[in-house]
Amino acid sequence: MNQGPEQWTAVDEYLSEHLIGSDPALDATLEASRTAGLPAIQVTPCQGKFLHLLARIQGARKILELGTLGAYSTIWLARALPADGRLITLEVSLENAEVASRNITRANLSSFVDLRVGPALEIMPKLLVERQNPFDLIFIDADKVSTPEYFRWALKLSRPGTIIVVDNVVRKGALADASSSDASVQAMRQFIRELGAEKHVNATVLQTVGNKGYDGFALALVTSVP
Ligand SMILES: C[S@@+](CC[C@H](N)C(=O)[O-])C[C@H]1O[C@@H](n2cnc3c(N)ncnc32)[C@H](O)[C@@H]1O
């Protein structure tokens, strides 16, 4: 088999079949999202499970997610919570949020999930005022152009030991292209510069391939707070 997207997809499907299998709530979430016309830009099943395991390894009780879409990653993360755990997820689109809300209810996770509709940069300061922080894990997966600002706000909502995960950092490899005219690529380059210079985190990026193409996750451990 040739190396490339077809092989990545075949391997992803093979891994999903053996490590995840059929999951009625998650399968119904994808189906309902597709039927509602949402773009298929959610994390892959293996990435969803990776986030779930990360939250469990962390012992996360409070999770913040930026970018709900149809709640596919939300469900993976919320399932990692203990009985008294809570996940706040932020979504700018009311249409997406309505689909997500139905998917969360079907997955029996409504009591764990607080879905807030509006621009993340308007809601994050409110979380500070409400004293919802510190979060144990923060997953940043909303519009890519705002990633540097999301990361700065995530730090304000963190404690030493918080894990911050940022999706879609590598952007088909364009991350390494300084001359890219793509605003999302330049935003990720700015984010990586700030991540590397930030004294309060220890961070890395893992490149990923799979049925969503070539991309990558940034993973940051907050080591101290300003
Ligand atoms: C990549 S999708 C999220 C996928 C989801 N995390 C998953 O894996 O299932 C990005 C989402 O962020 C939302 N979004 C875009 N701009 C936003 C903003 N300013 N504030 C909050 N959400 C935003 C989009 O409407 C979209 O639903």
Side-chain angles (χ1 to χ4, degrees):
M1 188 187 278
N2 288 332
Q3 290 188 347
E6 275 176 32
Q7 188 181 36
W8 307 341
T9 300
V11 172
D12 230 351
E13 285 169 0
Y14 170 81
L15 293 172
S16 298
E17 185 188 329
H18 286 278
L19 303 178
I20 299 167
S22 109
D23 181 311
L26 287 171
D27 295 346
T29 289
L30 292 179
E31 182 55 33
S33 300
R34 198 168 25 242
T35 305
L38 268 54
I41 52 174
Q42 70 282 343
V43 295
T44 66
C46 287
Q47 290 169 352
K49 191 159 187 187
F50 174 78
L51 292 170
H52 171 89
L53 291 172
L54 209 51
R56 286 181 60 178
I57 291 164
Q58 166 75 331
R61 284 184 56 250
K62 288 167 79 174
I63 297 176
L64 174 64
E65 176 182 63
L66 278 56
T68 317
L69 190 68
Y72 185 75
S73 56
T74 314
I75 291 171
W76 272 113
L77 284 166
R79 283 177 172 179
L81 290 167
D84 62 347
R86 193 138 186 85
L87 182 152
I88 299 178
T89 183
L90 314 183
E91 172 55 53
V92 75
S93 153
L94 182 57
E95 291 81 6
N96 293 0
E98 285 173 351
V99 177
S101 178
R102 289 194 291 273
N103 288 336
I104 291 163
T105 302
R106 191 190 306 102
N108 288 319
L109 290 166
S110 302
S111 59
F112 292 90
V113 180
D114 177 356
L115 167 56
R116 301 197 183 188
V117 183
L121 284 174
E122 284 181 19
I123 301 174
M124 293 173 97
K126 292 181 187 156
L127 299 180
L128 208 55
V129 173
E130 289 173 22
R131 296 179 192 273
Q132 299 283 359
N133 56 303
F135 292 92
D136 304 309
L137 188 151
I138 301 176
F139 178 45
I140 300 177
D141 190 22
D143 60 298
K144 306 304 159 181
V145 176
S146 306
T147 299
E149 282 176 281
Y150 291 149
F151 181 68
R152 284 173 223 140
W153 267 104
L155 279 179
K156 290 184 197 173
L157 294 165
S158 294
R159 59 165 172 84
T162 295
I163 291 172
I164 302 174
V165 182
V166 183
D167 197 11
N168 306 125
V169 168
V170 173
R171 314 208 64 76
K172 297 186 167 64
L175 182 68
D177 178 8
S179 66
S180 171
S181 56
D182 182 323
S184 297
V185 171
Q186 289 302 340
M188 286 306 176
R189 290 176 61 83
Q190 171 72 24
F191 162 60
I192 294 295
R193 277 195 297 276
E194 290 188 26
L195 189 64
E198 177 56 63
K199 303 262 183 300
H200 299 286
V201 302
N202 206 339
T204 191
V205 169
L206 283 182
Q207 301 188 68
T208 58
V209 293
N211 62 16
K212 294 285 160 57
Y214 169 34
D215 218 316
F217 278 116
L219 179 67
L221 174 67
V222 178
T223 50
S224 57
V225 287

mmCIF file of all heavy atoms in Angstrom, residues 137-155:
data_model
loop_
_atom_site.group_PDB
_atom_site.id
_atom_site.type_symbol
_atom_site.label_atom_id
_atom_site.label_comp_id
_atom_site.label_asym_id
_atom_site.label_seq_id
_atom_site.Cartn_x
_atom_site.Cartn_y
_atom_site.Cartn_z
ATOM 1 N N LEU A 137 -8.287 20.504 33.009
ATOM 2 C CA LEU A 137 -7.917 20.247 31.609
ATOM 3 C C LEU A 137 -8.677 21.234 30.735
ATOM 4 O O LEU A 137 -9.876 21.459 30.958
ATOM 5 C CB LEU A 137 -8.271 18.806 31.225
ATOM 6 C CG LEU A 137 -7.783 18.311 29.858
ATOM 7 C CD1 LEU A 137 -7.545 16.794 29.892
ATOM 8 C CD2 LEU A 137 -8.765 18.619 28.735
ATOM 9 N N ILE A 138 -7.987 21.818 29.770
ATOM 10 C CA ILE A 138 -8.620 22.768 28.842
ATOM 11 C C ILE A 138 -8.308 22.306 27.424
ATOM 12 O O ILE A 138 -7.139 22.100 27.072
ATOM 13 C CB ILE A 138 -8.100 24.208 29.078
ATOM 14 C CG1 ILE A 138 -8.400 24.636 30.530
ATOM 15 C CG2 ILE A 138 -8.751 25.175 28.082
ATOM 16 C CD1 ILE A 138 -7.845 26.009 30.917
ATOM 17 N N PHE A 139 -9.375 22.117 26.625
ATOM 18 C CA PHE A 139 -9.215 21.675 25.240
ATOM 19 C C PHE A 139 -9.604 22.839 24.326
ATOM 20 O O PHE A 139 -10.757 23.268 24.328
ATOM 21 C CB PHE A 139 -10.087 20.446 24.976
ATOM 22 C CG PHE A 139 -10.035 19.943 23.562
ATOM 23 C CD1 PHE A 139 -8.823 19.815 22.885
ATOM 24 C CD2 PHE A 139 -11.196 19.564 22.896
ATOM 25 C CE1 PHE A 139 -8.765 19.347 21.580
ATOM 26 C CE2 PHE A 139 -11.157 19.081 21.593
ATOM 27 C CZ PHE A 139 -9.938 18.977 20.938
ATOM 28 N N ILE A 140 -8.643 23.333 23.559
ATOM 29 C CA ILE A 140 -8.868 24.481 22.675
ATOM 30 C C ILE A 140 -9.055 23.983 21.244
ATOM 31 O O ILE A 140 -8.118 23.463 20.631
ATOM 32 C CB ILE A 140 -7.678 25.473 22.761
ATOM 33 C CG1 ILE A 140 -7.521 25.976 24.212
ATOM 34 C CG2 ILE A 140 -7.879 26.635 21.795
ATOM 35 C CD1 ILE A 140 -6.322 26.906 24.428
ATOM 36 N N ASP A 141 -10.294 24.135 20.742
ATOM 37 C CA ASP A 141 -10.610 23.609 19.405
ATOM 38 C C ASP A 141 -11.713 24.452 18.756
ATOM 39 O O ASP A 141 -12.652 23.924 18.165
ATOM 40 C CB ASP A 141 -11.059 22.138 19.525
ATOM 41 C CG ASP A 141 -11.165 21.433 18.178
ATOM 42 O OD1 ASP A 141 -10.525 21.892 17.205
ATOM 43 O OD2 ASP A 141 -11.889 20.417 18.104
ATOM 44 N N ALA A 142 -11.603 25.794 18.891
ATOM 45 C CA ALA A 142 -12.590 26.676 18.252
ATOM 46 C C ALA A 142 -11.966 27.253 16.983
ATOM 47 O O ALA A 142 -11.216 26.556 16.304
ATOM 48 C CB ALA A 142 -13.027 27.753 19.239
ATOM 49 N N ASP A 143 -12.282 28.510 16.626
ATOM 50 C CA ASP A 143 -11.660 29.103 15.433
ATOM 51 C C ASP A 143 -10.145 29.200 15.669
ATOM 52 O O ASP A 143 -9.686 29.495 16.772
ATOM 53 C CB ASP A 143 -12.258 30.489 15.150
ATOM 54 C CG ASP A 143 -12.036 31.434 16.311
ATOM 55 O OD1 ASP A 143 -12.545 31.151 17.403
ATOM 56 O OD2 ASP A 143 -11.301 32.424 16.141
ATOM 57 N N LYS A 144 -9.398 28.933 14.625
ATOM 58 C CA LYS A 144 -7.945 28.780 14.792
ATOM 59 C C LYS A 144 -7.219 30.128 14.899
ATOM 60 O O LYS A 144 -6.169 30.231 15.540
ATOM 61 C CB LYS A 144 -7.367 27.942 13.642
ATOM 62 C CG LYS A 144 -8.091 26.596 13.484
ATOM 63 C CD LYS A 144 -8.076 25.776 14.757
ATOM 64 C CE LYS A 144 -9.161 24.733 14.811
ATOM 65 N NZ LYS A 144 -9.186 23.942 16.040
ATOM 66 N N VAL A 145 -7.785 31.156 14.277
ATOM 67 C CA VAL A 145 -7.140 32.470 14.261
ATOM 68 C C VAL A 145 -6.980 33.044 15.676
ATOM 69 O O VAL A 145 -6.030 33.769 15.960
ATOM 70 C CB VAL A 145 -7.954 33.432 13.357
ATOM 71 C CG1 VAL A 145 -7.379 34.838 13.393
ATOM 72 C CG2 VAL A 145 -7.955 32.928 11.925
ATOM 73 N N SER A 146 -7.913 32.691 16.550
ATOM 74 C CA SER A 146 -7.871 33.245 17.917
ATOM 75 C C SER A 146 -7.044 32.395 18.880
ATOM 76 O O SER A 146 -7.019 32.681 20.083
ATOM 77 C CB SER A 146 -9.294 33.373 18.460
ATOM 78 O OG SER A 146 -10.101 34.101 17.602
ATOM 79 N N THR A 147 -6.388 31.360 18.398
ATOM 80 C CA THR A 147 -5.693 30.429 19.299
ATOM 81 C C THR A 147 -4.717 31.112 20.263
ATOM 82 O O THR A 147 -4.705 30.781 21.453
ATOM 83 C CB THR A 147 -4.992 29.319 18.488
ATOM 84 O OG1 THR A 147 -5.995 28.608 17.758
ATOM 85 C CG2 THR A 147 -4.256 28.346 19.385
ATOM 86 N N PRO A 148 -3.891 32.082 19.799
ATOM 87 C CA PRO A 148 -2.985 32.701 20.787
ATOM 88 C C PRO A 148 -3.749 33.343 21.953
ATOM 89 O O PRO A 148 -3.360 33.195 23.107
ATOM 90 C CB PRO A 148 -2.227 33.753 19.954
ATOM 91 C CG PRO A 148 -2.275 33.233 18.553
ATOM 92 C CD PRO A 148 -3.627 32.577 18.430
ATOM 93 N N GLU A 149 -4.858 34.023 21.618
ATOM 94 C CA GLU A 149 -5.649 34.657 22.694
ATOM 95 C C GLU A 149 -6.320 33.603 23.574
ATOM 96 O O GLU A 149 -6.399 33.764 24.795
ATOM 97 C CB GLU A 149 -6.721 35.560 22.088
ATOM 98 C CG GLU A 149 -6.193 36.887 21.602
ATOM 99 C CD GLU A 149 -7.295 37.691 20.938
ATOM 100 O OE1 GLU A 149 -7.587 37.384 19.760
ATOM 101 O OE2 GLU A 149 -7.853 38.559 21.598
ATOM 102 N N TYR A 150 -6.794 32.540 22.958
ATOM 103 C CA TYR A 150 -7.411 31.467 23.754
ATOM 104 C C TYR A 150 -6.398 30.882 24.738
ATOM 105 O O TYR A 150 -6.720 30.589 25.882
ATOM 106 C CB TYR A 150 -7.935 30.335 22.844
ATOM 107 C CG TYR A 150 -9.125 30.716 22.009
ATOM 108 C CD1 TYR A 150 -9.328 30.142 20.755
ATOM 109 C CD2 TYR A 150 -10.072 31.636 22.466
ATOM 110 C CE1 TYR A 150 -10.434 30.477 19.981
ATOM 111 C CE2 TYR A 150 -11.172 31.973 21.691
ATOM 112 C CZ TYR A 150 -11.346 31.389 20.448
ATOM 113 O OH TYR A 150 -12.434 31.720 19.690
ATOM 114 N N PHE A 151 -5.169 30.720 24.252
ATOM 115 C CA PHE A 151 -4.145 30.141 25.118
ATOM 116 C C PHE A 151 -3.836 31.074 26.288
ATOM 117 O O PHE A 151 -3.695 30.620 27.429
ATOM 118 C CB PHE A 151 -2.882 29.826 24.305
ATOM 119 C CG PHE A 151 -1.797 29.214 25.133
ATOM 120 C CD1 PHE A 151 -1.951 27.945 25.664
ATOM 121 C CD2 PHE A 151 -0.636 29.914 25.403
ATOM 122 C CE1 PHE A 151 -0.958 27.369 26.450
ATOM 123 C CE2 PHE A 151 0.359 29.345 26.187
ATOM 124 C CZ PHE A 151 0.194 28.073 26.716
ATOM 125 N N ARG A 152 -3.759 32.381 26.005
ATOM 126 C CA ARG A 152 -3.489 33.327 27.106
ATOM 127 C C ARG A 152 -4.601 33.270 28.147
ATOM 128 O O ARG A 152 -4.343 33.268 29.355
ATOM 129 C CB ARG A 152 -3.375 34.760 26.549
ATOM 130 C CG ARG A 152 -2.057 35.000 25.840
ATOM 131 C CD ARG A 152 -2.044 36.366 25.160
ATOM 132 N NE ARG A 152 -1.454 36.238 23.829
ATOM 133 C CZ ARG A 152 -1.877 36.860 22.731
ATOM 134 N NH1 ARG A 152 -2.900 37.701 22.784
ATOM 135 N NH2 ARG A 152 -1.275 36.664 21.576
ATOM 136 N N TRP A 153 -5.850 33.172 27.665
ATOM 137 C CA TRP A 153 -6.972 33.073 28.609
ATOM 138 C C TRP A 153 -6.968 31.723 29.334
ATOM 139 O O TRP A 153 -7.289 31.648 30.524
ATOM 140 C CB TRP A 153 -8.305 33.296 27.890
ATOM 141 C CG TRP A 153 -8.680 34.735 27.973
ATOM 142 C CD1 TRP A 153 -8.590 35.684 26.992
ATOM 143 C CD2 TRP A 153 -9.148 35.408 29.146
ATOM 144 N NE1 TRP A 153 -8.983 36.903 27.486
ATOM 145 C CE2 TRP A 153 -9.336 36.766 28.803
ATOM 146 C CE3 TRP A 153 -9.440 35.012 30.454
ATOM 147 C CZ2 TRP A 153 -9.790 37.711 29.716
ATOM 148 C CZ3 TRP A 153 -9.883 35.961 31.366
ATOM 149 C CH2 TRP A 153 -10.058 37.285 30.997
ATOM 150 N N ALA A 154 -6.596 30.692 28.630
ATOM 151 C CA ALA A 154 -6.545 29.364 29.264
ATOM 152 C C ALA A 154 -5.568 29.391 30.439
ATOM 153 O O ALA A 154 -5.835 28.816 31.505
ATOM 154 C CB ALA A 154 -6.141 28.304 28.237
ATOM 155 N N LEU A 155 -4.452 30.086 30.261
ATOM 156 C CA LEU A 155 -3.475 30.184 31.357
ATOM 157 C C LEU A 155 -4.080 30.868 32.580
ATOM 158 O O LEU A 155 -3.835 30.459 33.719
ATOM 159 C CB LEU A 155 -2.246 30.968 30.898
ATOM 160 C CG LEU A 155 -1.209 30.203 30.082
ATOM 161 C CD1 LEU A 155 -0.070 31.126 29.686
ATOM 162 C CD2 LEU A 155 -0.678 29.010 30.879
#
